[in-house]
Amino acid sequence: MISIVSATQGHSGAMRAEDAVKDFWATRPRRPRRGRKLAGVASGIANRYRIDPVIVRIGFVVATVYGGAGALFYLLGWLFLPEEDDEVSPAEALLGKGRSSTSSGFTILLGIVLVPLLGWFFDGGTFGSFPAWLSLLVIGGLLYLLHQNRGHLTPVRTSPPATQEPPVMPVMPAMPMTSAPVSDVRADLPHTPPVGAPVDAPPPVDDRTTPPAWDPLGAAPFAWDLPEPSTPPEPEEPPQPPAKRHKSRIGTMTIGLALVVAAGMSFAMGGWITPQHIVGVVLAVLGLGMVAGAFLRGGRGLIALAVPLSVAGLALTVISPGGYHGVGDLTAQPTSLAQLDREYERSVGNVTLNLTSLPLSDEVIEVKARADIGNVEVIVPRTADVVVTCEAERGSVACLDREDSGLEVTVDEYESLGSDGAGGQQIEIKAEVNTGEVEVRRG
């Protein structure tokens, strides 16, 4: 794996933004082949800056749910971050600047997906009731701060080092064989006396005259030929207990701050503060705590809170973006203006509103019927003059004699006079569904 050393190593003070961007590109992370879940973008960033890859993955998920910037940055990382054994990134390889293991066809496919995504971001789109440009700003700022504080660190090795082959000993050439007789060869060699005593020689006699260490007084000279007794091994020192791990308080502090924020927003809930906003702010607090924990070596337990909260926030955003309004079918048939509510809503379920029993009145009746997941049916009197607006994010609409289906279907302020012509009862209806069917018909 190619070792990357940042230009910020040994630096004092923060770099300028332009220098930080140049240094980030020069020492950009490399996507590992081992330990990755998809393309290795999160693992590469974690290895580059020596932080937990789980924190990076959760950051991508949260940034995708709130604003969609996580998906954009992951796709950009897939295109512009090289793998650990490649010369250049897939996008650079497509321009002929080097070799990449990603095929050209797949790189082109990623580029095709990137084009509409970039267009949607620069067009000011929103995802999850969160502006796309704001999510881009947040994730870009976090990457900048991460490089400022940990850009001087060398990346963690993700692949085992190549094993070195043992050195090969040189082989001496064999001595050439000659046809000379054995007796002639031995005659040419110089005579050397045999080394060591003969096999049948008697054992040597110990002629020690001084006592050994075990008999300093010389009381047993007949046993001086015995070997010295071996010294007992020294007792091994007991192993040292492992050093106590420093417990960081960043997790406890973050949870406490998140509870205070959630309680304060719950008391003030109403108006623009919805459960989605509370979950989003709490997730932001947990995210900041995990970022701080990456530097202070703590806060890993915050992941257990961030994951279910992310799922809950995603469910609230997708299923009920306007807030929670209950589950189950809602059927209403008011017989007076006092019984008529301005809004009839359900998060999951069908809404059926029958207005045929309302008494005649000169007052303009305004009513809204909405279901996040389900169907909406509104029945109006035959003689009433109706102005209707029907919307369906995903589904179909049938507003009197206007019908359509698909994605983001809208019938905007369609006016229909009653069977008796202009005049009489006036009703303005707004019927909406996130996923389902909308029907407005006369009874």
Side-chain angles (χ1 to χ4, degrees):
M1 175 180 171
I2 298 176
S3 177
I4 305 174
V5 179
S6 172
T8 62
Q9 189 170 3
H11 74 293
S12 60
M15 294 185 298
R16 295 180 305 170
E18 181 181 359
D19 296 335
V21 172
K22 291 180 179 179
D23 187 69
F24 175 82
W25 179 258
T27 62
R28 54 187 160 160
R30 286 184 170 267
R31 298 182 286 118
R33 299 184 184 274
R34 300 176 58 189
R36 66 187 192 181
K37 302 300 181 183
L38 183 59
V41 177
S43 299
I45 294 175
N47 294 338
R48 169 64 181 87
Y49 298 106
R50 294 189 178 185
I51 58 178
D52 194 336
V54 178
I55 297 177
V56 183
R57 295 186 182 112
I58 291 178
F60 273 113
V61 172
V62 173
T64 300
V65 173
Y66 292 94
L72 176 63
F73 270 86
Y74 198 93
L75 190 58
L76 290 173
W78 200 337
L79 282 170
F80 292 99
L81 298 183
E83 292 194 12
E84 57 184 356
D85 298 328
D86 292 347
E87 296 177 356
V88 294
S89 64
E92 293 172 311
L94 193 63
L95 301 176
K97 294 185 177 181
R99 178 190 60 82
S100 174
S101 58
T102 305
S103 63
S104 300
F106 189 74
T107 304
I108 294 174
L109 179 61
L110 292 177
I112 293 174
V113 176
L114 181 64
V115 170
L117 191 59
L118 285 173
W120 179 74
F121 268 89
F122 287 111
D123 194 35
T126 58
F127 186 78
S129 304
F130 201 82
W133 64 268
L134 186 56
S135 65
L136 280 174
L137 184 63
V138 170
I139 195 171
L142 289 177
L143 282 175
Y144 174 76
L145 294 176
L146 184 64
H147 189 76
Q148 283 277 21
N149 289 276
R150 305 180 71 86
H152 61 283
L153 299 177
T154 56
V156 178
R157 181 183 295 273
T158 58
S159 59
T163 57
Q164 297 182 355
E165 297 183 357
V168 179
M169 299 299 294
V171 180
M172 299 298 295
M175 295 294 294
M177 300 298 293
T178 60
S179 57
V182 176
S183 59
D184 296 342
V185 176
R186 290 182 177 177
D188 295 338
L189 294 176
H191 175 72
T192 56
V195 180
V199 178
D200 54 352
V205 179
D206 190 4
D207 56 353
R208 168 175 285 186
T209 59
T210 58
W214 58 269
D215 187 17
L217 299 178
F222 58 88
W224 286 358
D225 58 339
L226 296 178
E228 295 283 348
S230 59
T231 57
E234 297 182 359
E236 297 182 359
E237 296 183 359
Q240 296 292 335
K244 293 184 178 180
R245 186 177 179 181
H246 174 69
K247 293 184 179 180
S248 175
R249 297 182 179 179
I250 187 67
T252 305
M253 295 173 59
T254 303
I255 294 176
L257 180 59
L259 291 176
V260 171
V261 170
M265 295 187 68
S266 298
F267 282 115
M269 190 167 59
W272 68 272
I273 300 180
T274 63
Q276 289 92 325
H277 292 98
I278 297 176
V279 173
V281 173
V282 171
L283 273 176
V285 173
L286 294 179
L288 293 176
M290 286 187 288
V291 172
F295 299 103
L296 302 177
R297 296 182 180 181
R300 290 179 60 90
L302 298 176
I303 300 174
L305 294 177
V307 172
L309 273 180
S310 300
V311 175
L314 179 62
L316 288 174
T317 303
V318 175
I319 297 176
S320 185
Y324 179 74
H325 301 288
V327 176
D329 295 341
L330 173 61
T331 302
Q333 187 174 358
T335 58
S336 64
L337 296 181
Q339 296 178 356
L340 181 67
D341 295 331
R342 298 293 301 271
E343 296 181 354
Y344 296 87
E345 296 182 281
R346 277 291 182 265
S347 294
V348 179
N350 301 323
V351 177
T352 302
L353 178 60
N354 191 339
L355 302 178
T356 57
S357 300
L358 289 176
L360 296 177
S361 173
D362 295 335
E363 182 182 353
V364 178
I365 299 173
E366 298 180 359
V367 65
K368 176 183 178 181
R370 176 181 174 81
D372 293 318
I373 297 180
N375 302 325
V376 171
E377 180 183 9
V378 181
I379 306 171
V380 297
R382 294 182 179 273
T383 59
D385 297 339
V386 181
V387 177
V388 61
T389 298
C390 297
E391 296 180 359
E393 293 290 332
R394 292 168 292 273
S396 62
V397 297
C399 290
L400 300 176
D401 55 351
R402 297 289 182 91
E403 297 182 2
D404 200 356
S405 62
L407 298 176
E408 297 184 358
V409 182
T410 302
V411 175
D412 192 19
E413 295 186 356
Y414 172 62
E415 184 178 4
S416 175
L417 301 178
S419 58
D420 58 351
Q425 195 173 30
Q426 298 181 4
I427 302 176
E428 294 184 2
I429 301 172
K430 188 173 184 179
E432 302 176 348
V433 295
N434 193 4
T435 302
E437 299 179 358
V438 175
E439 181 182 7
V440 179
R441 60 184 178 87
R442 294 188 182 273

